[in-house]
Every structure is written in C-alpha cells, then in structure tokens.
Amino acid sequence: MRGDGDGWVVSDTGAAFWGRHGAAGLLVRAPQPDGSAAVLLQHRAPWSHQGGTWGLPGGARDSHESAEDAALREAHEEAGLARHQLTVRQTVVTTEVAGEGGTCWSYTTVIADAPELLETVPNRESAELRWVAVDEVADLPLHPGFARSWGLLLSVTASIPLEVNPRQ
C-alpha cells in the first residue's frame, strides 16, 4: 500500500533520501537462549535501494504518522511483527539532513523489545530476515545509513535494560 510519504527528498547538496516526511525504522531486541541480546535485521532485496545490505525494517513516514507509528507499521509490513508483540523503549533521531530553512529529512530509529526471538515473515523487500547477536552486527555488510548510526544505537541501548516480559 502506498502512502503519502512515498517519494524522494533531494537535499541542497543533491543527495536523495526516501520518504517525503522522513523515514523511520525499528530496532527490535530480544533475548537469546543465553540471555544476551539479538537484534532483528533485514537483508535488503537486491532490487531495492542499497540492495544486498543489512539494515532495519523501516521506510517512509506518512504525513499523519509519528516515527513510532511508521516504524511499527513498516516492521509489520516487512517482517510480520505485530505491535502487541513489542514494547517500545525509546526513539532516537539517527540522521538529520539540513535543507533550506532547516531540516529537510530525518531518520528516526525506534528501539523496541520483544519477549523472545519472534518468528518473522519477510515481504518482497527482504531477501532475508535474521536475528543477529549484537556483537556480530558490525560483521555484516550494513546499509550505509545503518552503519553510520550503529555506534550511537549501541550506546543508547546499553543504558536500556532488555525488557523480557511480554506486554500485557
């Protein structure tokens, strides 16, 4: 389903960014059997922008959506995750692009916890979905934007205890 956010924004430098109202992605953490955290990553389909790289389920925000709503919608569309399975912990603006008169585009990462390594259902935008141990994420060929923000996200998540109880 196409929303009013689908489309490219071009910055003053000529760089193009997907999402007329910005974009958002969902960093989902879940406990592995040993208690350490894993995160859900999406191996982007070859035909997509930056195809073949690993990143977060996410995409364009529609004009009526908060970053949290957009990230949760995209995670449902791209990974089959339902909102009730997740506990949102924090949002972090991981990229801001300046344009005439201020910010012309931003990407917000929504951090959420799942009670377990949930089953996922990829859509056509995913070559694969995989739960990856946090200390193995940087070993993958990451989407450039995700690679730039991974250090910040590690720092932020280090201060948030992993919530392992399902939402009531």
Side-chain angles (χ1 to χ4, degrees):
M1 176 169 48
R2 291 186 56 89
D4 72 350
D6 287 351
W8 294 96
V9 171
V10 179
S11 72
D12 292 345
T13 64
F17 301 89
W18 183 252
R20 294 178 55 231
H21 309 287
L26 192 68
L27 177 63
V28 182
R29 307 181 306 168
Q32 298 184 95
D34 68 0
S36 64
V39 295
L40 180 63
L41 295 184
Q42 175 192 48
H43 192 199
R44 299 170 62 84
W47 59 264
S48 68
H49 182 64
Q50 300 291 341
T53 61
W54 290 85
L56 303 176
R61 287 175 60 180
D62 289 336
S63 61
H64 65 278
E65 289 181 306
S66 67
E68 182 178 318
D69 288 339
L72 290 167
R73 174 184 50 78
E74 289 283 345
H76 178 72
E77 291 173 5
E78 296 178 1
L81 298 178
R83 183 182 287 256
H84 74 272
Q85 296 175 294
L86 306 167
T87 301
V88 172
R89 305 301 304 275
Q90 189 166 338
T91 61
V92 180
V93 176
T94 49
T95 305
E96 285 188 307
V97 178
E100 188 174 317
T103 301
C104 77
W105 187 87
S106 65
Y107 188 94
T108 302
T109 301
V110 177
I111 300 166
D113 291 342
E116 61 189 2
L117 302 174
L118 299 171
E119 195 171 317
T120 59
V121 180
N123 73 356
R124 67 182 192 86
E125 296 178 41
S126 304
E128 177 185 359
L129 295 166
R130 184 189 306 169
W131 289 98
V132 178
V134 168
D135 61 354
E136 296 175 4
V137 170
D139 297 335
L140 295 170
L142 300 178
H143 180 283
F146 180 54
R148 282 189 299 275
S149 66
W150 180 236
L152 170 64
L153 293 169
L154 274 176
S155 174
V156 170
T157 58
S159 67
I160 305 170
L162 179 61
E163 177 65 55
V164 295
N165 297 322
R167 286 177 64 156
Q168 302 299 328

